[in-house]
Each structure stands twice: as C-alpha cells, then as structure tokens.
Amino acid sequence: MKVNGGKSVPLSTGVMCMAKKAKEVVEAVDPDKNLITFRVIEGDLMEEYKSFVATILVSPKSEDSGSVVHW
C-alpha cells in the first residue's frame, strides 16, 4: 500500500498508518456492504488520540472492472 508521499506502508495485523505503529481489533464486518471497521487498542496512535477507528468500504467501479476502496 502507498500512502504519505508514496512511501510503502505495510498493512497487516500490526497496522502501520503514516509511519505510526498500532495494534487493532476488528470491530465490525458487513460482507453485504463490503465494509470492515477496526478499532486501534494500543500503539503510537493512542499517544495522539483518545480513540481511533478506521472504516474501510470497498465499492465496485460502475464503468470498469475493479473496485474503489474508501478509508
């Protein structure tokens, strides 16, 4: 995944978000809406925020093949 000026940022169980480390839990999964929600429970982000929730929504493109991911 490329964010923050094109730098590679790995996306895994220990998510790194804009060069910050975080450990998250899956809070919700809705396969019908192609939606997943994560809550950060520890790491660098919790030093800057009281809470941090990321929601990912994947929508199929209407004209071409593939999908669009909204964070």
Side-chain angles (χ1 to χ4, degrees), residues 11-43:
L11 183 62
S12 63
T13 303
V15 168
M16 291 181 66
C17 179
M18 292 190 207
K20 298 284 184 175
K21 293 183 182 178
K23 184 175 181 181
E24 81 284 341
V25 294
V26 176
E27 214 172 59
V29 176
D30 188 340
D32 295 330
K33 295 181 181 178
N34 296 327
L35 182 122
I36 189 166
T37 302
F38 299 93
R39 178 172 297 278
V40 175
I41 57 173
E42 63 183 59

Side-chain angles (χ1 to χ4, degrees), residues 1-10 18-19:
M1 184 173 120
K2 302 275 186 182
V3 295
N4 198 16
K7 295 179 184 173
S8 292
V9 178
M18 292 190 207

